[in-house]
Amino acid sequence: MSDIEAIKHKYLDEIAAVSTGDALEAIRVAALGKKGEISLLLKTLGKMTPEERQTEGPKINGARQAVADAIAARKEAMESEALNARLATEKLDMTLPPPSAPKGSIHPVSQVMDELAEIFADLGFSVATGPEIEDDWHNFTALNIPETHPARAMHDTFYFPVPEGSEELPKLLRTHTSPVQIRTMVDVAKKTGGSGEPIYLIAPGRTYRSDSDATHTPMFHQVEGLVIDKGIHMGHLKWTLETFVRAFFERDDIELRLRPSYFPFTEPSAEVDVGFSVENGRRIIGGDARSNEGGWMEILGSGMVHPNVIRNCGLDPDVWQGFAFGCGIDRLAMLKYGMDDLRAFFDGDLRWAEHYGFGALDVPTLSGGVGA
Ligand code: 2NL
């Protein structure tokens, strides 16, 4: 065996025996590095006679190529061995149960809003929304509550600061969702050039009053309803509210009682009570309100839209009449689902949300029972 053959085989043996990347790299440097044994042999070619070069050149180059190929092959083999070793130890057991993922739930207020939308959609009402930061005109003036009206004091309004020297009335956080209906009526009047068209809508959303105790939070939710059409009267109002309350509490034996009241934006105005009774020691909405344990509970305010309000929005009150009502959503949720502390609604305690919340797929439907 020539010297070159011997050198080649020495390296091939070493390469076959090596077991780490570092050791393989050391062999590469010793054989093929700048001062490697085979690299130095290649440099001797220059000093040879052409005849010698003819025979030695292929041998030396062949040895260099063979060693380089062996190193590459060994490297690839070691990498796949390492991968196989990892695959063997890091095997996933697909039969193990997966770790449980935290699951969100639908807040009772959102659930009730969805139920309201479902019930009123069935009666031909759409859902309207609007800004929570309002101006004085949409929140008060248009609703027949002029600047000096005592009803303003009843609202405990949150006002925004006014820039110094400005003559403008302060912006405010809406104290009810009525401005949404005002905006709709104004839009309809504009769109129809004052001639008007029927309006059937509910406006659910956040409202704000500077009030805080066990039954009041500074932010709360309200739903208002508005009907504007020709020949609308109190009978339509009472039927609509009765139908709504029976669908919402999912009982047909719920009675309503309308009591005369006062709101600046309705005339006449009525407070609406629902009858309750006691079943199995628990107070429930519906049943015989006139029984010993029964009684009446106020849940809504309502009335015929004041002609001034219709006129303020650009419609003719001699042509268009309507009714409106307002109701606290948080209170509806408490009554239906048995929560007793309003403040817990907005504390963000996940245990409360988990206990009272609804599954994402518990979509209210009339056929399934809106609260199913
Ligand atoms: C209550 C009373 C009520 C209205 C809200 C209304 C809206 C327009 C015109 C006329 Cl745009 N009225 N809303 C009417 C009567 C009562 O709410 O006690 N809410 C909790």
Side-chain angles (χ1 to χ4, degrees), residues 143 176-182 185 209 220 222-226 263 265-266 269-271 298-306 309 313 323-328:
L143 284 151
H176 42 197
T177 58
S178 315
V180 176
Q181 287 110 286
I182 296 296
M185 283 191 278
R209 295 185 196 184
F220 59 104
Q222 203 197 19
V223 62
E224 289 207 10
L226 175 73
F263 303 107
F265 27 84
T266 46
S269 304
E271 245 140 2
E298 184 194 322
I299 63 158
L300 281 146
S302 67
M304 301 306 293
V305 180
H306 198 293
V309 176
C313 295
F323 66 79
F325 58 89
C327 173

Coordinates of all heavy atoms in Angstrom, one line a residue, residues 143 176-182 185 209 220 222-226 263 265-266 269-271 298-306 309 313 323-328, ligand 1:
L143 N -85.2 65.9 25.0 CA -86.2 65.0 25.8 C -87.1 65.9 26.6 O -87.7 65.4 27.6 CB -85.4 64.0 26.6 CG -84.8 62.9 25.8 CD1 -83.6 62.3 26.5 CD2 -85.9 61.8 25.6
H176 N -79.0 57.9 30.4 CA -79.9 56.9 29.9 C -79.6 56.7 28.4 O -78.8 57.3 27.8 CB -81.4 57.4 30.1 CG -81.7 58.8 29.7 ND1 -82.8 59.5 30.2 CD2 -80.9 59.7 29.0 CE1 -82.7 60.8 29.7 NE2 -81.6 60.9 29.0
T177 N -80.3 55.7 27.8 CA -80.0 55.4 26.4 C -81.0 56.2 25.5 O -80.9 56.0 24.3 CB -80.0 53.9 26.0 OG1 -81.3 53.4 26.4 CG2 -78.9 53.2 26.8
S178 N -81.8 57.1 26.1 CA -82.8 57.9 25.3 C -82.1 58.6 24.1 O -82.7 58.7 23.1 CB -83.5 58.9 26.1 OG -84.0 58.3 27.3
P179 N -80.8 59.2 24.3 CA -80.2 59.9 23.2 C -80.1 59.1 21.9 O -80.1 59.6 20.8 CB -78.9 60.4 23.7 CG -78.7 59.8 25.1 CD -80.1 59.3 25.6
V180 N -80.0 57.7 22.1 CA -80.0 56.9 20.9 C -81.3 57.0 20.1 O -81.2 57.1 18.9 CB -79.7 55.4 21.3 CG1 -79.8 54.5 20.1 CG2 -78.4 55.2 22.1
Q181 N -82.4 57.0 20.8 CA -83.7 57.1 20.1 C -83.8 58.5 19.5 O -84.4 58.7 18.4 CB -84.8 56.9 21.1 CG -85.0 55.4 21.5 CD -84.7 55.2 22.9 OE1 -83.5 55.2 23.3 NE2 -85.6 55.0 23.7
I182 N -83.3 59.5 20.3 CA -83.4 60.9 19.7 C -82.6 61.0 18.4 O -83.1 61.5 17.4 CB -82.8 61.9 20.8 CG1 -83.6 62.0 22.0 CG2 -82.6 63.3 20.1 CD1 -85.0 62.5 21.8
M185 N -84.6 59.3 15.7 CA -85.7 60.1 15.2 C -85.2 61.3 14.3 O -85.8 61.6 13.3 CB -86.6 60.6 16.4 CG -87.5 59.5 16.9 SD -88.7 60.2 18.1 CE -87.7 60.3 19.6
R209 N -74.4 57.3 36.1 CA -74.9 58.3 37.0 C -74.0 58.2 38.3 O -73.6 57.1 38.7 CB -76.4 58.1 37.4 CG -77.3 58.3 36.3 CD -78.8 58.2 36.6 NE -79.6 58.0 35.4 CZ -80.9 57.9 35.4 NH1 -81.6 58.1 36.5 NH2 -81.5 57.8 34.3
F220 N -74.1 51.5 34.8 CA -75.1 50.4 34.8 C -75.7 50.3 33.4 O -75.2 51.0 32.5 CB -76.3 50.8 35.8 CG -77.0 52.1 35.6 CD1 -78.2 52.1 35.0 CD2 -76.4 53.3 35.9 CE1 -78.9 53.3 34.7 CE2 -77.1 54.5 35.7 CZ -78.3 54.5 35.1
Q222 N -79.0 49.9 30.7 CA -80.4 50.2 30.5 C -80.8 49.7 29.1 O -80.0 49.7 28.2 CB -80.5 51.7 30.6 CG -81.9 52.1 31.0 CD -82.2 53.6 30.7 OE1 -81.6 54.2 29.9 NE2 -83.3 54.1 31.4
V223 N -82.1 49.4 29.0 CA -82.6 49.2 27.7 C -83.8 50.1 27.6 O -84.6 50.2 28.6 CB -83.0 47.7 27.4 CG1 -84.1 47.2 28.4 CG2 -83.5 47.5 26.0
E224 N -83.9 50.8 26.5 CA -85.1 51.6 26.3 C -85.7 51.1 25.0 O -85.1 50.5 24.1 CB -84.8 53.1 26.1 CG -84.4 53.7 27.4 CD -84.6 55.2 27.5 OE1 -85.3 55.7 26.6 OE2 -84.2 55.8 28.5
G225 N -87.0 51.2 24.9 CA -87.7 50.9 23.7 C -88.5 52.1 23.1 O -88.9 53.0 23.9
L226 N -88.6 52.1 21.8 CA -89.3 53.3 21.2 C -90.1 52.8 20.0 O -89.6 52.0 19.2 CB -88.3 54.3 20.7 CG -88.9 55.5 20.0 CD1 -89.7 56.5 20.9 CD2 -87.9 56.3 19.2
F263 N -92.6 61.5 33.8 CA -91.3 61.7 33.2 C -91.5 62.9 32.3 O -92.6 63.0 31.6 CB -90.9 60.5 32.4 CG -90.8 59.2 33.1 CD1 -91.8 58.2 33.0 CD2 -89.8 59.0 34.1 CE1 -91.8 57.0 33.7 CE2 -89.8 57.8 34.8 CZ -90.7 56.8 34.6
F265 N -90.4 63.3 29.4 CA -90.4 63.0 28.0 C -91.6 62.1 27.6 O -91.7 61.8 26.4 CB -89.1 62.2 27.6 CG -88.4 61.5 28.8 CD1 -88.8 60.2 29.1 CD2 -87.4 62.1 29.5 CE1 -88.3 59.6 30.2 CE2 -86.8 61.5 30.6 CZ -87.2 60.2 30.9
T266 N -92.5 61.8 28.5 CA -93.7 61.1 28.2 C -94.9 61.7 28.8 O -94.8 62.3 29.9 CB -93.6 59.6 28.6 OG1 -93.1 59.6 30.0 CG2 -92.7 58.8 27.8
S269 N -97.5 59.3 31.6 CA -96.4 58.4 31.9 C -97.0 57.3 32.9 O -97.9 57.6 33.7 CB -95.3 59.1 32.7 OG -94.9 60.2 31.8
A270 N -96.3 56.2 32.9 CA -96.8 55.1 33.8 C -95.6 54.3 34.3 O -94.7 54.0 33.5 CB -97.7 54.2 33.0
E271 N -95.6 54.0 35.6 CA -94.7 53.0 36.1 C -95.3 51.7 36.0 O -96.5 51.5 36.1 CB -94.3 53.4 37.6 CG -92.9 53.8 37.7 CD -92.6 54.9 38.7 OE1 -93.6 55.4 39.3 OE2 -91.5 55.3 38.8
E298 N -91.9 47.0 41.0 CA -91.7 47.9 39.9 C -90.5 47.4 39.0 O -89.5 47.2 39.6 CB -91.5 49.3 40.4 CG -91.4 50.3 39.3 CD -90.8 51.6 39.8 OE1 -91.1 52.0 40.9 OE2 -90.0 52.2 39.0
I299 N -90.7 47.3 37.7 CA -89.6 47.0 36.9 C -89.3 47.9 35.7 O -88.3 47.8 35.0 CB -89.6 45.5 36.3 CG1 -90.8 45.3 35.5 CG2 -89.5 44.5 37.5 CD1 -90.6 44.1 34.5
L300 N -90.3 48.8 35.4 CA -90.2 49.6 34.1 C -90.8 50.9 34.3 O -91.7 51.1 35.1 CB -91.0 48.9 33.0 CG -90.5 47.7 32.2 CD1 -91.7 46.8 31.9 CD2 -89.8 48.2 31.0
G301 N -90.3 51.9 33.5 CA -91.0 53.2 33.4 C -91.4 53.3 31.9 O -90.7 52.8 31.1
S302 N -92.5 54.0 31.7 CA -93.0 54.0 30.3 C -93.9 55.2 30.1 O -94.3 55.9 31.0 CB -93.7 52.7 30.0 OG -94.9 52.7 30.8
G303 N -94.4 55.4 28.9 CA -95.4 56.4 28.6 C -95.5 56.6 27.1 O -94.8 56.0 26.3
M304 N -96.4 57.5 26.8 CA -96.6 58.0 25.4 C -95.6 59.1 25.2 O -95.5 60.0 26.0 CB -98.0 58.5 25.1 CG -99.1 57.4 25.4 SD -98.8 55.9 24.5 CE -99.0 56.4 22.8
V305 N -94.8 59.0 24.1 CA -93.8 60.0 23.8 C -94.4 61.4 23.8 O -95.4 61.6 23.1 CB -93.1 59.7 22.5 CG1 -92.0 60.7 22.2 CG2 -92.5 58.3 22.5
H306 N -93.8 62.3 24.5 CA -94.3 63.7 24.6 C -94.2 64.4 23.3 O -93.2 64.3 22.6 CB -93.5 64.5 25.7 CG -94.2 65.7 26.1 ND1 -94.4 66.8 25.3 CD2 -94.7 66.0 27.4 CE1 -95.0 67.7 26.0 NE2 -95.2 67.3 27.2
V309 N -91.1 66.2 22.3 CA -90.0 65.4 22.0 C -90.0 65.0 20.5 O -89.0 65.2 19.8 CB -89.9 64.1 22.8 CG1 -88.7 63.2 22.4 CG2 -89.8 64.4 24.3
C313 N -87.4 66.6 17.4 CA -86.6 65.7 16.5 C -86.9 66.0 15.1 O -86.3 65.4 14.2 CB -86.8 64.3 16.8 SG -86.2 63.8 18.4
F323 N -94.9 55.2 21.8 CA -94.7 55.0 23.2 C -93.2 54.7 23.4 O -92.5 54.3 22.4 CB -95.6 53.8 23.7 CG -95.3 52.5 23.2 CD1 -94.3 51.7 23.6 CD2 -96.2 51.9 22.2 CE1 -94.0 50.4 23.1 CE2 -96.0 50.6 21.7 CZ -94.9 49.9 22.2
A324 N -92.8 54.8 24.6 CA -91.4 54.5 25.0 C -91.4 53.9 26.4 O -92.3 54.1 27.1 CB -90.5 55.8 24.9
F325 N -90.3 53.1 26.6 CA -90.1 52.6 28.0 C -88.7 52.5 28.3 O -87.8 52.5 27.4 CB -90.8 51.2 28.1 CG -90.4 50.2 27.1 CD1 -89.3 49.4 27.4 CD2 -91.0 50.1 25.9 CE1 -88.8 48.4 26.5 CE2 -90.5 49.1 25.0 CZ -89.4 48.3 25.3
G326 N -88.4 52.4 29.6 CA -87.0 52.2 30.0 C -86.9 51.3 31.2 O -87.8 51.2 32.0
C327 N -85.8 50.6 31.2 CA -85.7 49.5 32.2 C -84.3 49.2 32.5 O -83.4 49.2 31.6 CB -86.5 48.3 31.6 SG -86.3 46.8 32.4
G328 N -83.9 48.8 33.7 CA -82.6 48.5 34.1 C -82.3 47.0 33.7 O -83.0 46.1 34.2
Ligands
2NL1 C1 -87.1 54.5 33.8 C2 -87.9 55.3 32.9 C3 -88.3 55.7 30.6 C4 -88.4 56.6 28.4 C5 -87.7 56.0 29.4 C6 -88.1 57.8 26.3 C7 -87.3 58.0 25.2 C8 -87.6 58.9 24.3 C9 -88.8 59.5 24.3 C10 -89.6 59.3 25.4 CL1 -86.6 59.2 23.0 N1 -89.3 58.4 26.3 N2 -87.8 56.9 27.2 C11 -89.8 56.8 28.6 C12 -90.4 56.5 29.8 C13 -89.6 56.0 30.8 O1 -87.5 55.2 31.6 O2 -87.5 54.4 34.9 N3 -86.1 53.9 33.3 C14 -85.2 53.1 34.1

